[in-house]
Amino acid sequence: MAMEKEQKQPMPPVSQWAPALALSWLVPGGGHMLLKRTGRGLLLMAAITSMFVCGLMMRGAMFQPQSGDFLTTLINTGGFIGDLSSGVLYLLSVCLGYNQPDMAGAVHDYGTKFLVTAGLLNILAMVDTFDIATRRKD
Amino acid sequence: MPKMTLSHFEATVLFSLFTSVVLGVVTKRTDRDRLHYGIYTFGCFLVALFGLGWLMYLGHG
């Protein structure tokens, strides 16, 4: 019953949540700070940025979208979306030439996973920002 | 950019730490619940890490 009521809530206007969501993508934790959740925003920023920087320091590779067989497309396009979700961290590291070619080695592989996971965690932060901006969550 | 070389164990613990922080922050509604959930998630990661590690060690023979 409660879920039915929740589902019937009208979609809030875009202007209410779009700026916070965009900032949340661009700067991890930025959306929370814009919505005056500074502590949570700082925690998210620290965790996601640290994970991304660790990935770079482990010489992880950035994914590029590739076509081919299904698995290649899935892994590379999914990885690219994950990388891109880190926002300014991804854009800066590509612009400044920190994106590494894919190299063999366990540590490089950990780094690649760290980079993608940082982006995926930022997607979670963006969803949380959306919930806060639309008052579905405090 | 300095190079960081971590063992599998160190990388997994770092991964667990960062992921637990984010999961704790975004999942729950009160600070107390967030802290508890973050610690719980980190604990689960560590249990899985040691459990799977021992399982692979014993399975390897």
Side-chain angles (χ1 to χ4, degrees), chain A residues 67-100:
Chain A
S67 56
D69 62 281
F70 175 70
L71 204 57
T72 304
T73 308
L74 186 70
I75 290 172
N76 288 290
T77 308
F80 175 69
I81 292 169
D83 285 338
L84 193 62
S85 302
S86 298
V88 75
L89 298 172
Y90 171 78
L91 299 174
L92 269 181
S93 59
V94 170
C95 288
L96 298 176
Y98 285 118
N99 54 334
Q100 301 286 319

Side-chain angles (χ1 to χ4, degrees), chain B:
Chain B
M1 176 73 67
K3 189 173 182 183
M4 181 189 258
T5 304
L6 298 178
S7 67
H8 195 151
F9 176 76
E10 291 162 342
T12 313
V13 171
L14 261 186
F15 182 97
S16 309
L17 180 68
F18 297 141
T19 308
S20 303
V21 169
V22 175
L23 289 178
V25 168
V26 303
T27 308
K28 299 295 177 182
R29 289 176 184 268
T30 64
D31 286 345
R32 184 187 165 85
D33 286 349
R34 287 184 190 109
L35 180 65
H36 284 176
Y37 190 69
I39 292 170
Y40 170 76
T41 314
F42 186 63
C44 287
F45 271 122
L46 289 188
V47 168
L49 170 63
F50 283 103
L52 290 174
W54 273 104
L55 198 67
M56 284 188 281
Y57 175 74
L58 296 172
H60 193 260

